[in-house]
C-alpha cells in the first residue's frame, strides 16, 4: 500500500487576481502525487497577516512534513530532488 503524501499550500486567490506562482505550485504538487491542502488567502488582509506570521515576503508557501518551502522555485527544487531518490 502506498502512503498518502500531503502538502499544505498557502496561496493568494483574490476575486480579481489568482497568483500564477500559487497555481504553478499546486500543479507541481499534484503532478508529484501529493494531496494538496489548499489554503487560499482570499483577502489582502489575510495575505498580509500570513506573510507577517510566517516572516516571508510573498506567497505561495508550502509545508511538507514540517518543512517550509517559501517559494514555488524552492518547492520545485525539493520535488525534483525527492523524485531522484
Amino acid at each position: 500500500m502506498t502512503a498518502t503524501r500531503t502538502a499544505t499550500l498557502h496561496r493568494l486567490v483574490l476575486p480579481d487576481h489568482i497568483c500564477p506562482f500559487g497555481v504553478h505550485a499546486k500543479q507541481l504538487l499534484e503532478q508529484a502525487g501529493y494531496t494538496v491542502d489548499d489554503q487560499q488567502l482570499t483577502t489582502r488582509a489575510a495575505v498580509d497577516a500570513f506573510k507577517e506570521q510566517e516572516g516571508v515576503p510573498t506567497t505561495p508557501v508550502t509545508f511538507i512534513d514540517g518543512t517550509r518551502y517559501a517559494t514555488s522555485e524552492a518547492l520545485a527544487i525539493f520535488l525534483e530532488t525527492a523524485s531522484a531518490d
Side-chain angles (χ1 to χ4, degrees), residues 7-78:
T8 301
L9 172 64
H10 298 265
R11 63 187 182 109
L12 180 141
V13 179
L14 299 177
D16 61 343
H17 178 73
I18 298 174
C19 174
F21 297 103
V23 171
H24 181 64
K26 188 171 187 275
Q27 290 171 340
L28 288 172
L29 289 163
E30 290 172 343
Q31 289 170 358
Y34 282 82
T35 298
V36 180
D37 176 14
D38 189 9
Q39 298 293 311
Q40 297 180 2
L41 305 168
T42 59
T43 66
R44 179 56 57 191
V47 172
D48 292 343
F50 177 79
K51 292 189 311 186
E52 182 176 334
Q53 172 189 323
E54 291 300 321
V56 295
T58 189
T59 61
V61 175
T62 305
F63 292 91
I64 300 173
D65 294 331
T67 300
R68 180 179 76 182
Y69 302 92
T71 64
S72 59
E73 294 85 7
L75 175 63
I77 291 168
F78 164 74

